[in-house]
Amino acid sequence: MPLKLLGTIIILVLVTIFAGLNLDNKCNINLLFRTFENVPVFYSMFISFLVGMIVSLLFCLFRPKSKNTADSNGTAVKDKKLNKKKQKGTIVDPDVVMPDQSERVSR
């Protein structure tokens, strides 16, 4: 816990130093119909980083549900229909080795 806190403080100090040293560096940002002139480089980097975080957060929160979900044990559970067939005994799971198959010797 203290190492994470110290690491966070050190990173914040480094970012602050970087921002302070780059406030004099200016650039122009063109957004198709509008051009922002003399924008500090650090601001443009910071805003692009925030936009990237927001977009990636949206992709993580609103991704489509996959067919494979995890049960309480953390193992993958496939389709609900497949699980119902397994419970009824109409389908055999190829990953499960039956006791009589393990005793057979391949020739």
Side-chain angles (χ1 to χ4, degrees), residues 33-98:
F33 301 110
R34 171 134 179 158
T35 301
F36 298 100
E37 296 181 2
N38 295 328
V39 177
V41 172
F42 178 73
Y43 290 157
S44 64
M45 289 174 50
F46 184 70
I47 289 171
S48 63
F49 179 73
L50 284 178
V51 169
M53 284 182 52
I54 291 169
V55 169
S56 63
L57 181 67
L58 291 175
F59 276 114
C60 287
L61 292 177
F62 299 112
R63 64 181 175 192
K65 300 286 183 189
S66 63
K67 290 185 179 180
N68 294 340
T69 57
D71 64 356
S72 59
N73 296 334
T75 57
V77 177
K78 296 180 183 174
D79 235 354
K80 289 181 181 179
K81 292 180 183 178
L82 183 62
N83 286 334
K84 287 181 182 179
K85 288 181 182 180
K86 283 182 185 178
Q87 288 174 355
K88 289 180 181 177
T90 58
I91 190 168
V92 177
D93 191 1
D95 297 333
V96 177
V97 178
M98 302 300 287

Side-chain angles (χ1 to χ4, degrees), residues 1-18:
M1 179 81 172
L3 291 176
K4 288 183 182 181
L5 179 63
L6 288 175
T8 303
I9 292 171
I10 290 171
I11 289 173
L12 287 175
V13 167
L14 291 175
V15 168
T16 306
I17 291 171
F18 179 76

Side-chain angles (χ1 to χ4, degrees), residues 18-26 39-43:
F18 179 76
L21 293 175
N22 284 311
L23 286 176
D24 292 337
N25 298 332
K26 310 259 185 212
V39 177
V41 172
F42 178 73
Y43 290 157

